[in-house]
Each structure stands twice: as C-alpha cells, then as structure tokens.
Amino acid sequence: MTEPHFERDIDRSHMQVSDEIAIQINQMNKWYGQFHVLRDIDLTVNRGERIVIAGPSGSGKSTLIRCINRLEEHQSGQIIVDGTELTSDLKNIDKVRSEVGMVFQHFNLFPHLTILENCTLAPIWVRKVPKKEAEETAMHFLEKVKIPEQAHKYPGMLSGGQQQRVAIARSLCMRPRIMLFDEPTSALDPEMIKEVLDTMIELAEEGMTMLCVTHEMGFAQAVANRVIFMDQGQIVEQNNPHDFFHNPQSERTKLFLSQILGH
Amino acid sequence: MSDTNAQSTAFVREAMLPAKPAPVTQVGAVRWLRENLFAGPVNSALTLIGMFLVYTLVTHFYPWFRHSVWNANSMAECRAAVTASFGDGATGACWAMIRERWHQFIFGFYPPELYWRPIAVFVLLFVALAPILFTQLPRVMLGFSVIYPLVAIWLLWGGSIWPVTMVAVGFGLGWLAMRRLSAYSSILAIVAAVLVPVLFWLFAVGPLDDLLTSVLPIGIEPVASDRFGGFLLAITIGVGGIVMSLPLGIILALGRQSDMFLIKTFSVVFIEFIRGVPLITLLFVASLLLNYFLPPGTNFDIILRVMILVTMFAAAYIAEVIRGGLAALPRGQYEAADALGLDYWKAQRLIILPQALKISIPGIVSTFIGMFKDTTLVTFVGLFDPLKGIPDFIRADFNWKGIYWEPFIFVGAIFFILNFSMSRYSMYLERKLKRDHR
Ligand SMILES: Nc1ncnc2c1ncn2[C@@H]1O[C@H](COP(=O)(O)OP(=O)(O)OP(=O)(O)O)[C@@H](O)[C@H]1O
Ligand SMILES: [Mg+2]
C-alpha cells in the first residue's frame, strides 16, 4: 500500500493529545422510526485528538457526528460534550453548539449574505461580539484559509473549494474547541480537494480537536491519531492509522479497505 | 480497412475567413416577423385570425371613443351632443360625467374642504414606502415608516390626537419590554411585547386620554367612516390589509411548520378555514356577526372591521405562498444555522425568512394585487367602493341615469395603473435580489 504524501511536511509539535476529555459518548442508541441507526456507541475523544470516521455508505457516520451537536437527537445513552450533557434542555444544546463547529458536505453557506457576513453573523448574534471586532476576526480566519480577497463577494460567485474554505472559516469565527467535518471534500473536484485538505491539516497542526467523516485515506494516515470504522450503526474497529491500514483485524474492515483502496 | 478516407486527409487552412453579413431573412424586422408571426401554417393562420379579431374590436369601439363628449351636465345633454355632431343613431362616450364626479370616485363623500388630508396621507405613503422599497435610501427614513400608519389614521379620521398617541405609546412600551427581556429569554420577551401594550390600552388609555384631552385639547375635525368611499376607501383597506397581512402571513406560515402541536393545528385550521370560505362571507361576518361578539355599546368602526377580515383573508393566502418559499430552501440552511448556535427566531429572521421571502415575492405580490381588487367587494356590506358603490350612487342622480361603461373604464384604468405598478415593482425587486446574490 502506498504511503500518502502531502507536499509539505506536517508539523506535529502542537498535535498533542491531552488527558482532558472533550467528548464522551456512553451506550448511545438512535432510531429513525423503527430503524436502529446507531447501536450502543461508546466513544471517548480527548482534547487534541484527530479522529477519522470511515465506513460504507449508510453505516451511520453522519448520524453519529450530527448527534454530537444535536442536529440529530439520540434516544438512549449519554453524550457529554465539554462537560455538558446533551439533553432536551435548550440551554445545554446552545452551549454545545457554540463550542462545536461543523463543516458540511455541501458547505451550506448562506447565499443571501456576503462571505464576510457569513462569517460575522453567528459571532455578532450568538456571541454578541461588536461588529467591528467580529469583522476583524472574520478577516483573520479568511486570511488563514487564504481567501481574504473574496470577503465582499457572495457564495454563489466562488468555486466549490473556496466555498468550503469559507465554511471552515465561518465555523472558526465562533472559536470552537471541537470541529466536526462531514465528508468535507466529497462534493469537490479533485484539484479543489487538496486546498480544503490543506486547510484542515493546518487546523490539526494547531491542535484542534477534530472528528472527520471522510474517504480521504491519505488525510487519515497523515493527520489522524485514530481511525474509527463503522458498519451497520456500530463501531466495528478502531485503531491508530498505521495499524488500521496495514493490519486490519475484522473481515468487514478488510473488505472495506480493499474496496476503497482498489486492491 | 482503408486508412485514406475524407476524415484522415491532412488539411491546413491558409487564410482565415472574414465574417460575412447574415442573409436578410436572419436579421431585423423580417426575421422577427418570420419567427414570431409566420413561423408555420398554423402560426400564420392564428396570426391572421388574431389580426381580424383586433380589427373587429377596434372598428366596433373606435366610433364610441371618437364621439366622446367632455362637456355636458347630464346624460341627456351628452346624447344630444352626439346626435348633433354625428347624426341619428350614433353613440358616444360621455366623459362629462367623470369630469363632474371624479372627486367622488377618488374621495367618496369625504368633505371637499378636507381633501388635503387624504392627499397628504397618499403623498406621505410614498415617503413611508420609499425606504422600504428602495434599500439604497438612508435607513433613518424608516423611523417615519414606522409611525406612518398612526399618522395616516389620525389624518384620515381626524379627531383628538391623544388616542393615536396612546396607541403609539403602547407599542413603544411593548418594544421596550421586549428589548429589556430579550437578553433573558426569547419567549418571555415575545409574551411581554404582546401583554404590556394590551394591558396599557385596556387600563391606562381611558383615564390618560381624558386627562390629556382636558389639559391639551389638540385635534382636527373628525370625519366619520360613512363619508369614505371610492379609491380612498379601496386604498385605505388595501394598504391597511397589505401592511397587516404580510406579518400575519409570515407568522401563520411559520406556525404551520412548527413542531408544536397546538400552534401547528391552529395555523392549519385558520388557513384552511379562511381559504375555504368566500371573501364575501367574511365581509358579512365583519358587518353583521362581529357586533354580536363585542360588548354592547362598543362602536367598532366598520372600515376597521372590514380591514381586519380582509387582512385575515390575504394572510391565509400569503402564508401558503411563504410556506412554498420555506419548503424550497434546502435543509442545509436550517442545519448550518443550528450548528452555528442561532436560536429559532434568529435563524428564521436572519437566514430562513430573507431567502424564503425572496422566493415568494411573485406570489406575495399576486396576493396583494388580488386583495386590492377584492376591496371592491365591500360594496356588499354597504360601503361605497369605486367600481359599483360610487357609480350606482351617481346613476341614482337623475342627470346621469343610464350611464354604463364610462365608470367601469375609468375605474378599471386606475386599478390597472396601480396594480401594474405593483407588478413592475415586484419584477424590479426580483431582478435586483438576483443581481445582488449571484
Ligand atoms: N432522516 C432520516 N430518516 C430516516 N432514515 C435516515 C435518515 N437519515 C439517515 N437515515 C438512514 O440512516 C442510515 C445512516 O445514515 P447516515 O447518513 O448516517 O449514513 P452515512 O454513513 O453518513 O452514509 P454516507 O456515506 O452515504 O453519507 C442510512 O441507512 C440512512 O438511510
Ligand atoms: Mg454521510
């Protein structure tokens, strides 16, 4: 199997996993009507971890990470994010959502607002940051994702890769402690995938706690400290990337890897 | 297998071809005629039939217009003038009636010496609308738009200035209460925003009004609702209905989407009931039934009652139009707003409604236009609408007995101008929003 190579070396000096727990999921179950999507999920994520979630289509990867910021409601078990348990209490949900950033497959930028307005909206209305300060923060993050010159355009005028980088900047403007990515590159052309992955690598280098659902196995090997493999709503296998890719244990994982890596 | 065929023969162009003018059948009027009027046998036949119809209509009506009489004091004089100029049996339009009675079409029976008041209200309407319709204008102008409805009510109906001031104070108090409480809880803030003004109006207005009127009796001559008529009435009801039905429609549309069972059920029942009942029925409710439910002795103005029911009627339709807009938004917009931590009201106000309303503009404007035309139905509850009420009143005058088409044409033309402007504005708005966002 070929090793992935990104053009630059990855700076691992800040990629430290601390003992502090960022996300704790205990015996969590979720149903869509009669359909049991997530089954007895147990997962602990420490601060600074970079976790890649892989698995066949329909295995419940999206549902799992969407439960973490309560875009989906779980029916049993516990989800504790940054010490706050997700229940139907709206205060807790708002607290968790303002600490957890999320990046979607289809970007979900607000088409009626400029790039800058997209980035300042939540800080101004949720965090009550003064407009000027919010704009400065937004420009800072837009520079970081390398598109400050697009600040006054509308999302519809940008390429897919640019839009996804804006979406990442928009999340970062809320200064989240955890970032969730749901197939952030799946809707992109190959040449744009790299620019988005580069942005994500930079985030990882700064020590962000990240959970990524992705099929980019190169990214997983380069950046992740743990790969989780899901099938039929269950966590089937988890391991460090090296062992996960070179020495998969379960038959399902082997089958999946052979399909996705093409040999 | 042969390897020398036409395609594989090498070819190099030595001189580039200059552009040549297109053949005459491809340009200008000839092309337009061919493409639009004579594209084929069926198309050509339809064109000829259409031209024949237009010709028949014009030749039929043209003499009537050409024989128009502008100066006369009665129908009989009109007829005499036509016969005198164009011979026996000739017919002609009698615009003299409009010339004599135009003010009744416009103002109804409003006291002529007070015409300046509705005129001022109409002019100020544009001042109030300008900053809403054209976002380029300075935002401070919106302040006037906010108080305009009360100014308009006071100018139109007259009377003491204190009751409208009290209404404004009530709204102001509600707004203050909402500002104060919105930091703690959205729901509390909304409840307070409704409760505070209602309590103020119920308990504080009476004594305060008496006190202020005795200390400072400022007022203008009152005009009763039965003096209203014609376009003054239609526009008052229409504009009032438009202004109130849009917010109500938005609330109903959101209610229908709500997860809360009671709110959802109420919205669905309200919308379906109102849409299932003819407007006339609602107008009869306004004129007859509503009085049974109100405490005896309350004099609830008939125009206000009609306006409320017209508002409810239009709001039900607008709610459905907006629901279409809401449904057209991708789920991702809601999810992104949620994921950023925006609460329901903020997400609706900042993300969802601006986009849903933009999609709904054509439907909303259609509803407004329909509603404005429907205001003529108030004739059935004894109000003098411009299309039937006023002309019937004029025909009751012996001088103008028998006049038929002229008022319809005159009133129809004014309706057309007003509605066509609304329609053009909505197209401008759609284009502008499209240009802004792409
Ligand atoms: N709103 C819903 N209602 C009912 N079933 C749903 C809903 N959303 C997802 N599902 C089902 O739940 C299962 C898990 O869906 P999920 O989107 O989490 O899968 P996934 O692993 O992210 O797949 P993919 O790689 O295709 O994105 C699928 O079988 C899907 O059909
Ligand atoms: Mg998915």
Side-chain angles (χ1 to χ4, degrees):
Chain A
M1 198 171 98
T2 51
E3 287 295 325
H5 41 260
F6 284 90
E7 261 142 52
R8 63 192 169 76
D9 289 333
I10 290 171
D11 170 12
R12 295 180 183 273
S13 56
H14 297 283
M15 287 194 190
Q16 283 145 2
V17 177
S18 83
D19 294 338
E20 204 184 322
I21 291 175
I23 303 172
Q24 170 114 39
I25 301 177
N26 297 324
Q27 287 293 303
M28 189 264 279
N29 283 280
K30 168 160 186 66
W31 288 263
Y32 282 124
Q34 286 299 309
F35 177 52
H36 198 173
V37 219
L38 294 177
R39 309 180 188 178
D40 287 349
I41 303 284
D42 280 306
L43 177 66
T44 305
V45 180
N46 286 6
R47 199 162 292 296
E49 277 204 277
R50 299 150 319 269
I51 295 180
V52 162
I53 303 173
S57 180
S59 56
K61 310 176 296 285
S62 301
T63 311
L64 173 60
I65 69 163
R66 290 157 60 86
C67 281
I68 293 172
N69 65 353
R70 193 73 169 195
L71 286 185
E72 302 289 351
E73 191 182 331
H74 60 282
Q75 276 85 37
S76 78
Q78 259 189 324
I79 303 179
I80 302 168
V81 182
D82 250 338
T84 309
E85 178 169 3
L86 281 171
T87 57
S88 50
D89 185 347
L90 289 176
K91 278 226 169 58
N92 286 1
I93 297 176
D94 286 342
K95 184 152 179 286
V96 167
R97 282 179 180 166
S98 63
E99 308 250 324
V100 178
M102 180 147 192
V103 175
F104 299 87
Q105 179 173 2
H106 296 289
F107 332 134
N108 297 352
L109 294 178
F110 305 130
H112 62 302
L113 301 177
T114 63
I115 300 306
L116 191 64
E117 288 164 347
N118 263 277
C119 293
T120 55
L121 184 102
I124 290 175
W125 289 93
V126 180
R127 289 238 193 275
K128 314 270 183 227
V129 175
K131 185 163 183 240
K132 210 165 135 21
E133 193 185 321
E135 284 179 353
E136 279 162 17
T137 314
M139 286 315 291
H140 166 77
F141 284 112
L142 286 174
E143 257 154 49
K144 215 163 128 161
V145 302
K146 305 192 180 64
I147 31 177
E149 70 283 358
Q150 314 283 3
H152 296 285
K153 292 193 181 164
Y154 285 90
M157 304 166 172
L158 270 56
S159 76
Q162 289 172 325
Q163 290 193 41
Q164 192 61 297
R165 283 183 285 150
V166 171
I168 294 174
R170 178 176 72 177
S171 289
L172 293 177
C173 286
M174 285 293 279
R175 310 251 180 211
R177 306 185 69 186
I178 300 166
M179 286 286 286
L180 309 174
F181 294 84
D182 190 0
E183 306 203 24
T185 55
S186 300
L188 298 177
D189 293 339
E191 67 269 30
M192 295 172 189
I193 291 180
K194 198 182 147 296
E195 62 190 47
V196 171
L197 289 181
D198 275 340
T199 310
M200 291 168 64
I201 291 170
E202 259 178 55
L203 261 185
E205 285 174 336
E206 287 166 12
M208 177 66 82
T209 310
M210 296 164 68
L211 273 85
C212 313
V213 175
T214 180
H215 298 301
E216 293 298 324
M217 291 304 144
F219 172 81
Q221 294 193 50
V223 177
N225 67 311
R226 186 147 51 121
V227 180
I228 291 178
F229 177 70
M230 287 186 69
D231 195 12
Q232 296 179 2
Q234 299 150 61
I235 295 182
V236 173
E237 187 165 344
Q238 47 177 318
N239 213 333
N240 65 58
H242 185 271
D243 291 341
F244 179 84
F245 288 110
H246 294 90
N247 191 14
Q249 300 296 308
S250 96
E251 285 309 313
R252 289 179 195 286
T253 316
K254 286 179 193 162
L255 181 67
F256 175 74
L257 284 176
S258 72
Q259 279 165 352
I260 199 166
L261 299 172
H263 52 115
Chain B
M1 203 164 78
S2 141
D3 51 14
T4 51
N5 56 33
Q7 273 81 39
S8 64
T9 311
F11 167 78
V12 176
R13 181 176 291 285
E14 264 139 29
M16 299 313 278
L17 298 175
K20 290 178 200 141
V24 67
T25 53
Q26 287 302 304
V27 290
V30 178
R31 176 178 179 191
W32 188 90
L33 282 175
R34 273 183 73 123
E35 279 185 359
N36 292 292
L37 298 180
F38 300 99
V42 178
N43 192 312
S44 307
L46 287 175
T47 301
L48 291 176
I49 294 175
M51 281 157 86
F52 175 71
L53 281 177
V54 171
Y55 173 80
T56 325
L57 279 174
V58 168
T59 48
H60 190 76
F61 286 109
Y62 177 69
W64 188 74
F65 279 102
R66 195 166 53 90
H67 302 165
S68 291
V69 177
W70 291 91
N71 285 308
N73 291 318
S74 70
M75 202 60 198
E77 277 183 36
C78 266
R79 289 200 180 113
V82 172
T83 317
S85 323
F86 305 102
D88 259 346
T91 54
C94 188
W95 303 114
M97 186 277 287
I98 306 285
R99 201 183 146 103
E100 187 189 294
R101 298 297 187 99
W102 65 271
H103 56 278
Q104 285 182 339
F105 281 96
I106 307 294
F107 298 105
F109 312 106
Y110 210 86
E113 69 279 9
L114 299 179
Y115 278 172
W116 66 271
R117 275 161 44 179
I119 293 173
V121 168
F122 191 65
V123 172
L124 289 176
L125 173 65
F126 289 94
V127 179
L129 281 179
I132 299 171
L133 299 186
F134 301 99
T135 44
Q136 306 80 318
L137 293 169
R139 297 292 82 195
V140 285
M141 287 176 71
L142 281 173
F144 178 71
S145 312
V146 171
I147 59 163
Y148 172 78
L150 293 172
V151 173
I153 288 170
W154 182 59
L155 278 175
L156 286 176
W157 276 275
S160 163
I161 195 171
W162 297 117
V164 273
T165 317
M166 291 297 142
V167 172
V169 171
F171 280 122
L173 288 176
W175 185 74
L176 271 181
M178 192 171 82
R179 282 291 300 263
R180 268 293 156 85
L181 291 172
S182 63
Y184 304 107
S185 138
S186 296
I187 299 187
L188 204 65
I190 289 166
V191 171
V194 176
L195 221 55
V196 169
V198 169
L199 289 178
F200 175 79
W201 291 324
L202 279 182
F203 297 110
V205 165
L208 269 178
D209 184 28
D210 292 345
L211 178 73
L212 285 165
T213 314
S214 61
V215 178
L216 260 184
I218 305 176
I220 50 178
E221 191 178 327
V223 178
S225 282
D226 55 11
R227 313 291 299 264
F228 283 55
F231 279 100
L232 172 59
L233 181 70
I235 294 177
T236 304
I237 296 175
V239 172
I242 287 173
V243 168
M244 296 190 291
S245 63
L246 186 60
L248 185 59
I250 292 174
I251 291 172
L252 284 172
L254 293 179
R256 196 168 187 165
Q257 301 267 39
S258 166
D259 296 333
M260 281 179 261
F261 179 75
L262 268 180
I263 293 180
K264 189 187 171 100
T265 314
F266 173 81
S267 308
V268 171
V269 169
F270 183 93
I271 292 170
E272 296 304 337
F273 173 75
I274 298 273
R275 290 203 310 166
V277 173
L279 179 56
I280 304 256
T281 317
L282 294 178
L283 291 175
F284 281 131
V285 169
S287 83
L288 301 172
L289 270 181
L290 230 51
N291 268 352
Y292 290 115
F293 295 116
L294 293 168
T298 35
N299 178 20
F300 195 27
D301 188 84
I302 177 77
I303 295 183
L304 189 61
R305 276 184 270 163
V306 164
M307 215 189 265
I308 289 174
L309 284 164
V310 166
T311 299
M312 284 164 41
F313 190 75
Y317 283 88
I318 287 177
E320 286 300 280
V321 171
I322 294 177
R323 189 165 70 101
L326 289 171
L329 285 196
R331 273 199 61 75
Q333 293 291 309
Y334 293 87
E335 290 177 354
D338 281 348
L340 285 169
L342 294 165
D343 65 29
Y344 176 82
W345 291 107
K346 284 178 190 146
Q348 292 297 339
R349 184 165 119 223
L350 301 166
I351 309 298
I352 306 301
L353 283 176
Q355 297 185 63
L357 289 180
K358 182 181 131 190
I359 304 173
S360 318
I361 290 170
I364 291 175
V365 175
S366 290
T367 311
F368 283 165
I369 290 176
M371 183 185 98
F372 183 47
K373 290 188 296 186
D374 283 351
T375 58
T376 51
L377 293 175
V378 298
T379 187
F380 291 105
V381 294
L383 294 174
F384 286 87
D385 79 294
L387 197 62
K388 182 159 163 48
I390 294 287
D392 279 357
F393 173 80
I394 293 170
R395 281 181 204 121
D397 179 343
F398 182 75
N399 282 342
W400 300 113
K401 200 167 169 340
I403 195 153
Y404 191 70
W405 288 106
E406 292 84 345
F408 287 126
I409 293 173
F410 176 67
V411 171
I414 297 184
F415 265 115
F416 178 80
I417 292 169
L418 295 174
N419 289 330
F420 189 65
S421 339
M422 270 200 265
S423 150
R424 295 313 292 195
Y425 174 75
S426 107
M427 286 163 86
Y428 156 84
L429 193 61
E430 267 175 77
R431 265 199 314 277
K432 179 172 127 67
L433 290 173
K434 208 175 252 157
R435 190 171 59 235
D436 275 4
H437 299 161
R438 293 292 133 194

